[in-house]
Each structure stands twice: as C-alpha cells, then as structure tokens.
Amino acid sequence: MNIKFSERVSKLKASEIRELLKLTEEPEIISFAGGLPAPELFPKEKMEEIAAKVVREEGEAALQYGSTEGIPALRKIIAEQRLTAAGIKNPNKDEIMLTSGSQQGIEFSAKIFVNEGDVIICESPSYLGAINAFKSYQPKFVEVPMDDDGLIVEELEKAIKENPNAKMIYTIPDFQNPTGKRLPAERRKKVAELAAKYEIPVIEDAPYGELLYEGEKIPSIKSFDEAGYVVYLGTFSKTFCPGLRLGWVYATDEILQKYIIVKQGVDLQTSSFDQRLAAAFMSKYDLNQHIAEINKVYKKRRELMFDSMDKYFPTGVEYTRPQGGLFLWVTLKEGVDAAELMKEALAEKVAFVPGGAFYPNGGNKNHFRLNFSNMTEDKIVEGIKRLGNVLKKYY
Amino acid sequence: MNIKFSERVSKLKASEIRELLKLTEEPEIISFAGGLPAPELFPKEKMEEIAAKVVREEGEAALQYGSTEGIPALRKIIAEQRLTAAGIKNPNKDEIMLTSGSQQGIEFSAKIFVNEGDVIICESPSYLGAINAFKSYQPKFVEVPMDDDGLIVEELEKAIKENPNAKMIYTIPDFQNPTGKRLPAERRKKVAELAAKYEIPVIEDAPYGELLYEGEKIPSIKSFDEAGYVVYLGTFSKTFCPGLRLGWVYATDEILQKYIIVKQGVDLQTSSFDQRLAAAFMSKYDLNQHIAEINKVYKKRRELMFDSMDKYFPTGVEYTRPQGGLFLWVTLKEGVDAAELMKEALAEKVAFVPGGAFYPNGGNKNHFRLNFSNMTEDKIVEGIKRLGNVLKKYY
C-alpha cells in the first residue's frame, strides 16, 4: 500500500497523554497521569433516575437530530448558572454554542483564526492537548514565560508586538494545565485590554475555575472583555461527567457564527441525549452542591499529595502548590529527563506525564505533571512514596 | 470590532440544510427537507430501560473519559453485526474507530488526505454536508456524472487520470444523497480496483444501505477492497437514533491511525455514555428487527409519495424512484430555479432542499431533494399536493 496523507497530518503524533492512558489502564498501576475526575463521585443514583426520565418525557427529541448551537434549555442553564459563576454579568444565552467537550472548542479556535505559518501565543508550558490540536493547522508557537502568578502580561504584550502575524492567544488562567498556577484579577483585566488594543482574539480555556480549595474565586478574563475579543471555553467534564462530552463556547455573535459553521461541517451537533441529560440534571439538582462535594474530596487528596511529597521526595525537587484544579507541576534539577524517569516509574507501577510535551517548541525535559483527583488516598501515599524512591537515584 | 478570521473559514457559509431545518421547525410546515428518521419509531420503551441499566451497571465507566477508538464492546458489535451486513468478511474490530456521527468521518477524511488546492472527486450531485465540510480545506472538486445506476466508472477513471493531484474519491453508493441512486455490485468492484490501481483512497459513505424496501442488498465497495484503499464510514443515525451521534470509520490500520490522531485533537473521543447505550441496546435487542420495522413504515411512505407525485405533479417533472434510503430527486425543466420555487413552497407551508447546493462547482439549479421518512402519511399527501400546485405555475 502506498497512501499519501496531507501535509498537516503527516507529522502529527499520537498524544502522549492518550497513549499513556492506555498503559495506565492496567489496574495495578497507580496513575497520576490523566486529568480524570474521581469516578466514585459521579452522581450515579441521580443520573439513573434522570436518564430514564429524559427518554420517557422527551425521548423523541433526545434521540433525534437537533440544532448545531445546542438545545435552548441547556444554553440557558449555562448562561444563568455557569457563566455568572465565572463573573460574567448578564450573559447572553444566544452567544453560547455547545461543543463535544472543550477540546472541540480549542481545536475549532485554530481552524477559525490561524492560517498556516501564523503565530499562536501561549503560556510556557501549556496544555499538550491544545498544542497537538493546534499543530494540525501548522502554526508557529510563541511561548510566554510565567511567574508564580501565571502569565507575565508584560511579556505577553512584547510577544504580540514582536509577532505581527500572531492571530490568537491561548491561555488557561485558572489552575493552569500543567502548572496549577492561577492568574490574578488585575492581570486578567490587562489580558482583555491587550486583546482589544491589538485586535487579537484571546481563547480563554476555563475548565478548572470552579475546582477551588482555598481562597476566593477570580472572575474570568471574559468578564473584563468589553470589546468582544475574548472567546470563553467552558466544560462540564471536570465538574460533572466527562463521558457525556459537554463543553461550550461563549463568544460575541460575529465570532460565534464561525464556530457554528465549523461545527456544522465537523459533526453537525453535540449529542442531543447528553445535552438533555445535563439540562434535566441541572434543572432538578444543584450542580454547585455537587461541585462542593467533589471539591471537599479533591482538597483532601491534594493536601495528602503535598504532605507525601514533602515526606518522600528528595530535597531539591521543586513543585507548585495549587489552590485548586487537578494538577501540580514538578521541576527536577537540570539534566534530568522526566521521560527517562517515567520508564523507571512505570517499572515501579506508578505513572505521571513527562513535561516535555507541554512545551510546543521543545526542550524543558526536567519537569513532570501530577494529577491528584483520580487516585484514592492510599494510592496517593503509596504512589508518591514509590516515585520518591525513583527520584532518590538522581539526588 | 475588527477580527481577522483564517482564510479557510472566511468564505464558508452556513449549510442550507441546517438553516432550512430551523425554518422548518415550525410545526405547521410540512417538511421534506431534512434527512430525519421518523421519531415515533425510536425504541423509546427499550431505551428507557437500557439508559437506566447503563448508569446502574456501568455508570463509572459510562460517565468517565474513555479511549479515542471507542469502547471495545461496541466496536465488536459493529464488526459482527453491521460490517458483515455490508458484505465484509471477517471484519477486524481493531480497525474500527467510533466517530460523532459519520459526518465527523467525512470531515476527517479531507483533513487527512487533502492539501489546499488538491482535487476531491465526487458524484455529481453529492451530499451537501460533505461538500461544505470539505470546503474548509480549500480543495478543488471534480464532479463525475451518474446514470440511472449511479457513478459511471469509466468517467471516474477518466477523472482520476486527468487530475494527478486528486487525493480522494468521495462516494455514496447506496441510495445516494441526494439522488437515491444505487451503484451495482460490478461497479463497486471496479471502484475498489481503480482505488488500488491509482493508489487513491475511496471514502465510502454508507448510511443508507440497510434502508432497503425492494430487491436485494448489494455488498459495500469495502467488501471488494483487497488493497486497503477504501475507508468505510458507517452510522447508527439512520437505523437507530441520530441524537446519540454514533458513527464509525472502518479502515486499514495504517489509515485508521491517522483518524485516531485527528480525533484525539478534535474532541478526544465520542460520548462514553452514548456508546454504552448503543452497545447495551444491541447486546440485548436485535437491531435488524428494529430496522425491519422502520423499513416497513418508510417503504409505505415512499410509495405514498410516488403515488402522490404521479397524481399531483404536472407532466414533465421528472423524479427518481429509489428502492431504499430516505430521499428522491426531482428534476425540473431547464430554467426553473428550485431556490426560487422554495420561497413559493414555503409560502404554502411546504419545504424541500433546492438542488444547487449539491453541486460543488455550482449550476444545476433545476433540481430539488425530497425526504419521505420523516413526515406522516397524511402530511405526505397534503405536502405533495401543495407542491404540485406550486409546480403547476411553471408547467
């Protein structure tokens, strides 16, 4: 067979996270690799009742084709419950389109804003699933450095000025993936202002803002967006059920129309059934209450992970201490390759994601990402202990 | 606001079908426009029981992230039940990836095989949702003429020879959308041979093969594919429930790997819940039985539409008489613009899809497509009667 593929996919490689997830599916592996919610916290009893009710009461619509934008009831709930929680005043439900997870909104953003060779500005490091999605549009990446408070806005402005063909800024302001860092309100305001000043869209990827274990919520970048350049991507994957694949785009109508046209071509619409499940659940039950319950568990797991790392990791290994989200970020001394370390860790039946893949332009191999939401408490302690033993060979 | 979009989306327009669907959502409209199954035939009682059972028995997995390829149980069912029904011997379940409807497999095909300016070969006319999806990759289209038996394979070979940068053949061999024509077995064999001879992938879009009201099944093009150049796109949207958005790609591993990587970037995976609903339904109930039930109804509606057209349409209006599928194709005399006709029809509260959008290179305005699956019998008679009255002004 001699098959020719397009240039855009010839160089694409499978995401390390997804390939790792396969390895780590073996039950004896203690995995800190994925970004999976704790499945034992899914509201199963309520969902059993809701699933039957949706088929019974609205089955013909739930099993039929629907509109590309998504069902009005769910868009209304997203506007009233979730966008207001992100500090957005009077959100317009007509400027929301449902997506199949926020991953789809990420991918569409590159399709909509970026020509081949154009520049995407992102944090350094950034979410590897976004980097891989963007790569299929053959952009250049300009990475903006972060400090303890996330993206340095002066460096962002510099990057915009130096790259006139920058077409999009991609940022994760809340408990960033992979570092767990959070952008303060004044910087968010500044990002929105830069977007307007330089007429460049900001893609605000916001899956983690409601997973808050300490301190106060910070309003979204979108909440400071007066000029309409910020595209807000939300999701129910971290706060409800990722298996339903429900995310959304919230953007000015002129921009949202492009997302709708692209979605028509890509998959017509997100599952009618899953949308109606979510709408029925959130009409009857309080999602905030559910989020409060999972936050209680994640907070405890996070603290246990901190404590275990303090106890078992050798001196000299550095790590972030996020106040929310799902991840923390480990920095090793120069010269240690976390991908090599991963092999040794897997031999000890413990997994994480090596940091290299989070840097679109390469380098920076001396980091890795740990997830603290998915494993139970005993596994967290045992896994970190094993990881400490592997690390001790390098220190 | 001054926002720059990418070249690929700047020229995209919203699909006429989707925009029409909005207009035709008004309950007083008799719509022959969409390709919607009859919602009253959805297996609602069984699905109510199955939905509750899936949450109860496999809720943690059904609500959680899963693999990009799709759940093994459903891939096995697709291989054993549906691919064998398409005449494929010993299908390999590991060469199946679930998609969010077959629309997604269509869109991915252009992403995977077509560079900007490359040629896509398709039937003339072809499915407008595919044409719109392909357009975002900025290809050229070469349309191959059909006769009463569909694609003329000599013309196809000529098109391949004349276009060395043709990268993909897109075809709908069963009860084609929009014409309802069906490709005979010997032509299917020839298409598979041409794919191998010229080393060009064939995308076989096969949503309608099982909606058969007369005659015998014809094996898929894929069933004749010895060299591995045929990509088979299947779906449950026409035979089960489109709201679940479940389709699949069946292709040689080397090709399937590209679809998997692309899907990782686009939306990670198709809904875990919807996949498990389908698998649980098809493990317990016989989908063939369900298909036989809907075929009985669609056959009757189709015959009623034929009879009504024979009775109410003026002499000189031509139309196909498909033995299966969802659509038939009306040809008006030269000079009549079906888009103009549509306005008059909508004034009479009856809708169809004007044919122009099914020709990627334009022209051919004197056609329209009618769907016969979605409207009840009394509406079919009444709608065709009204349409006949509109048509009489032109004849």
Side-chain angles (χ1 to χ4, degrees):
Chain A
M1 198 159 100
N2 175 27
I3 201 102
K4 278 184 219 75
F5 296 110
S6 68
E7 285 167 28
R8 74 180 74 79
V9 304
S10 295
K11 291 169 206 158
L12 287 185
K13 277 183 260 171
S15 150
E16 290 184 33
I17 278 198
R18 304 295 295 181
E19 296 307 308
L20 278 174
L21 276 179
K22 277 191 210 165
L23 276 179
T24 59
E25 269 168 16
E26 295 165 38
E28 75 271 25
I29 296 263
I30 298 175
S31 178
F32 305 127
L36 282 69
E40 66 274 21
L41 304 178
F42 292 146
K44 283 198 296 292
E45 277 175 36
K46 290 172 185 158
M47 284 299 280
E48 183 182 336
E49 163 222 325
I50 291 288
K53 181 176 140 90
V54 164
V55 183
R56 196 168 55 244
E57 294 179 6
E58 42 186 320
E60 293 201 359
L63 301 171
Q64 183 62 290
Y65 287 112
S67 73
T68 301
E69 294 84 338
I71 64 165
L74 187 56
R75 295 161 81 201
K76 188 161 176 279
I77 287 169
I78 289 168
E80 290 175 358
Q81 298 184 10
R82 305 275 58 93
L83 294 181
T84 49
I88 297 164
K89 287 190 188 77
N90 306 314
N92 179 354
K93 74 172 176 50
D94 296 327
E95 296 190 331
I96 294 169
M97 179 188 83
L98 267 294
T99 55
S100 301
S102 57
Q103 181 71 26
Q104 188 172 58
I106 292 171
E107 209 265 356
F108 286 1
S109 301
K111 184 159 189 169
I112 288 166
F113 294 114
V114 182
N115 292 313
E116 188 183 333
D118 282 347
V119 164
I120 295 172
I121 297 176
C122 64
E123 284 133 4
S124 179
S126 183
Y127 167 46
L128 76 78
I131 294 167
N132 284 340
F134 296 159
K135 277 186 177 167
S136 73
Y137 297 97
Q138 300 166 281
K140 294 195 178 81
F141 290 94
V142 170
E143 301 175 36
V144 176
M146 294 193 280
D147 59 20
D148 289 347
D149 284 335
L151 193 68
I152 302 168
V153 285
E154 293 74 22
E155 296 286 337
L156 173 63
E157 183 160 19
K158 207 176 121 196
I160 299 171
K161 279 186 184 167
E162 286 174 357
N163 295 280
N165 64 335
K167 295 293 176 63
M168 176 172 115
I169 296 162
Y170 171 74
T171 179
I172 310 151
D174 301 299
F175 314 118
Q176 199 239 14
N177 184 354
T179 62
K181 292 175 181 178
R182 187 156 71 137
L183 203 67
E186 60 273 25
R187 289 196 189 184
R188 296 180 188 223
K189 188 163 182 285
K190 183 72 184 166
V191 171
E193 287 165 4
L194 290 175
K197 180 176 174 188
Y198 295 98
E199 299 181 332
I200 181 170
V202 168
I203 313 303
E204 178 178 22
D205 187 10
Y208 311 115
E210 307 214 48
L211 303 178
L212 180 69
Y213 319 127
E214 269 178 45
E216 297 296 314
K217 254 193 204 163
I218 300 178
S220 59
I221 299 172
K222 182 70 182 166
S223 74
F224 297 105
D225 176 36
E226 288 167 18
Y229 286 88
V230 180
V231 175
Y232 180 91
L233 305 180
T235 179
F236 290 118
S237 292
K238 309 305 184 189
T239 52
F240 184 48
C241 303
L244 302 182
R245 314 302 304 121
L246 293 174
W248 64 87
V249 181
Y250 178 58
T252 319
D253 185 63
E254 183 187 345
I255 294 176
L256 192 73
Q257 289 306 320
K258 295 294 181 188
Y259 282 86
I260 294 171
I261 290 175
V262 164
K263 189 163 173 71
Q264 283 182 349
V266 170
D267 64 5
L268 302 182
Q269 57 159 122
T270 290
S271 165
S272 307
F273 193 71
D274 294 351
Q275 289 185 64
R276 283 173 190 270
L277 281 181
F281 184 95
M282 290 162 205
S283 298
K284 180 158 183 188
Y285 299 108
D286 182 0
L287 187 66
N288 291 330
Q289 179 57 40
H290 178 68
I291 295 171
E293 284 164 24
I294 63 175
N295 280 352
K296 210 181 293 173
V297 175
Y298 293 172
K299 178 184 164 73
K300 210 169 161 195
R301 291 183 182 185
R302 177 198 68 134
E303 272 153 26
L304 193 63
M305 189 172 266
F306 290 165
D307 291 348
S308 305
M309 290 169 82
D310 293 344
K311 188 169 171 188
Y312 296 116
F313 275 18
T315 313
V317 177
E318 291 170 16
Y319 33 90
T320 57
R321 290 177 181 269
Q323 296 177 299
L326 300 178
F327 305 112
L328 60 84
W329 186 240
V330 180
T331 300
L332 306 170
K333 64 184 176 188
E334 287 287 336
V336 182
D337 182 345
E340 290 302 312
L341 194 77
M342 173 73 169
K343 292 175 194 164
E344 295 176 50
L346 276 176
E348 302 298 324
K349 305 284 181 201
V350 57
F352 53 77
V353 184
F358 296 91
Y359 295 90
N361 298 319
N364 301 284
K365 292 182 184 299
N366 59 321
H367 305 272
F368 61 86
R369 190 192 75 179
L370 292 176
N371 164 270
F372 51 76
S373 60
N374 187 241
M375 291 286 116
T376 52
E377 294 185 17
D378 53 330
K379 286 190 173 173
I380 288 174
V381 175
E382 176 61 24
I384 292 297
K385 195 172 166 183
R386 290 185 202 171
L387 207 47
N389 287 334
V390 172
L391 282 166
K392 274 172 193 151
K393 297 176 195 168
Y394 294 85
Y395 282 85
Chain B
M1 198 159 99
N2 174 27
I3 201 102
K4 279 184 218 74
F5 296 110
S6 68
E7 286 167 27
R8 73 178 75 80
V9 303
S10 295
K11 290 169 208 157
L12 288 185
K13 277 182 260 168
S15 150
E16 291 185 33
I17 279 197
R18 304 296 295 181
E19 296 308 308
L20 278 175
L21 276 178
K22 277 191 212 165
L23 277 179
T24 59
E25 268 167 18
E26 294 164 39
E28 75 272 25
I29 295 265
I30 297 177
S31 178
F32 305 127
L36 283 69
E40 66 274 22
L41 303 178
F42 293 146
K44 283 198 296 292
E45 277 176 35
K46 289 172 184 158
M47 284 297 281
E48 181 180 339
E49 163 222 325
I50 290 288
K53 181 176 140 90
V54 163
V55 183
R56 196 166 56 245
E57 294 179 6
E58 42 185 322
E60 292 202 358
L63 301 171
Q64 183 62 290
Y65 286 114
S67 73
T68 301
E69 293 86 336
I71 65 164
L74 186 56
R75 294 161 80 201
K76 189 161 176 280
I77 287 169
I78 289 168
E80 291 174 358
Q81 298 184 11
R82 306 274 59 90
L83 294 181
T84 51
I88 297 165
K89 288 192 186 75
N90 305 313
N92 180 353
K93 72 171 178 49
D94 296 328
E95 296 190 332
I96 294 168
M97 179 187 83
L98 269 293
T99 54
S100 301
S102 57
Q103 181 71 25
Q104 189 173 56
I106 292 170
E107 208 266 356
F108 286 1
S109 300
K111 184 159 187 168
I112 288 167
F113 294 113
V114 182
N115 293 313
E116 188 184 333
D118 282 347
V119 164
I120 296 173
I121 297 176
C122 64
E123 284 132 4
S124 180
S126 183
Y127 167 47
L128 78 78
I131 294 168
N132 284 342
F134 296 159
K135 277 185 178 167
S136 73
Y137 296 97
Q138 300 166 281
K140 295 195 177 82
F141 291 93
V142 170
E143 300 175 37
V144 176
M146 294 193 280
D147 59 19
D148 288 348
D149 284 335
L151 193 68
I152 301 169
V153 284
E154 292 74 22
E155 296 286 337
L156 174 63
E157 183 161 17
K158 207 175 121 197
I160 300 170
K161 279 186 183 167
E162 285 174 357
N163 294 282
N165 64 336
K167 294 295 176 61
M168 178 172 114
I169 297 162
Y170 171 74
T171 179
I172 309 151
D174 301 299
F175 312 119
Q176 199 238 15
N177 184 353
T179 62
K181 292 176 181 178
R182 187 156 72 137
L183 202 68
E186 59 272 27
R187 289 197 190 183
R188 295 180 189 224
K189 188 163 181 284
K190 184 72 184 167
V191 171
E193 286 165 6
L194 290 176
K197 180 175 174 187
Y198 294 98
E199 298 181 333
I200 181 169
V202 168
I203 312 305
E204 178 179 21
D205 187 9
Y208 311 113
E210 308 214 47
L211 302 178
L212 181 69
Y213 319 128
E214 269 179 44
E216 296 296 313
K217 253 192 203 163
I218 300 179
S220 58
I221 299 173
K222 182 69 182 167
S223 74
F224 298 106
D225 175 37
E226 288 167 16
Y229 286 87
V230 180
V231 175
Y232 180 91
L233 304 181
T235 180
F236 290 118
S237 291
K238 309 304 183 189
T239 53
F240 184 50
C241 304
L244 302 182
R245 313 303 303 122
L246 293 174
W248 64 89
V249 181
Y250 178 58
T252 319
D253 185 64
E254 184 185 345
I255 295 176
L256 192 74
Q257 289 307 319
K258 294 294 181 189
Y259 282 86
I260 294 170
I261 290 174
V262 164
K263 188 163 172 71
Q264 282 181 350
V266 170
D267 64 6
L268 301 181
Q269 57 158 123
T270 290
S271 164
S272 307
F273 193 71
D274 294 351
Q275 289 184 63
R276 283 174 189 270
L277 280 182
F281 183 93
M282 289 161 206
S283 299
K284 181 158 183 189
Y285 299 107
D286 182 1
L287 188 65
N288 291 329
Q289 180 56 41
H290 177 68
I291 294 171
E293 284 163 25
I294 63 175
N295 280 353
K296 209 180 294 174
V297 176
Y298 293 172
K299 179 183 164 73
K300 210 169 161 197
R301 291 184 181 184
R302 178 197 67 134
E303 273 152 26
L304 192 63
M305 189 173 266
F306 289 165
D307 293 347
S308 305
M309 292 169 80
D310 293 345
K311 188 168 172 189
Y312 296 116
F313 275 19
T315 312
V317 177
E318 291 171 15
Y319 33 92
T320 58
R321 289 177 182 269
Q323 296 177 299
L326 300 179
F327 305 111
L328 60 83
W329 186 240
V330 180
T331 299
L332 306 170
K333 63 183 176 190
E334 288 288 336
V336 181
D337 182 345
E340 290 301 312
L341 193 77
M342 173 73 169
K343 290 176 197 163
E344 295 176 50
L346 276 175
E348 302 298 325
K349 305 285 182 200
V350 56
F352 54 77
V353 183
F358 297 90
Y359 295 90
N361 299 319
N364 299 286
K365 293 183 185 299
N366 58 321
H367 305 272
F368 61 87
R369 191 190 74 178
L370 292 177
N371 164 271
F372 51 76
S373 61
N374 186 242
M375 290 288 114
T376 51
E377 295 184 17
D378 54 329
K379 285 191 174 174
I380 288 175
V381 176
E382 176 60 25
I384 292 297
K385 195 172 167 183
R386 288 186 203 171
L387 207 47
N389 287 335
V390 172
L391 281 166
K392 274 171 193 151
K393 298 177 195 166
Y394 294 85
Y395 283 84

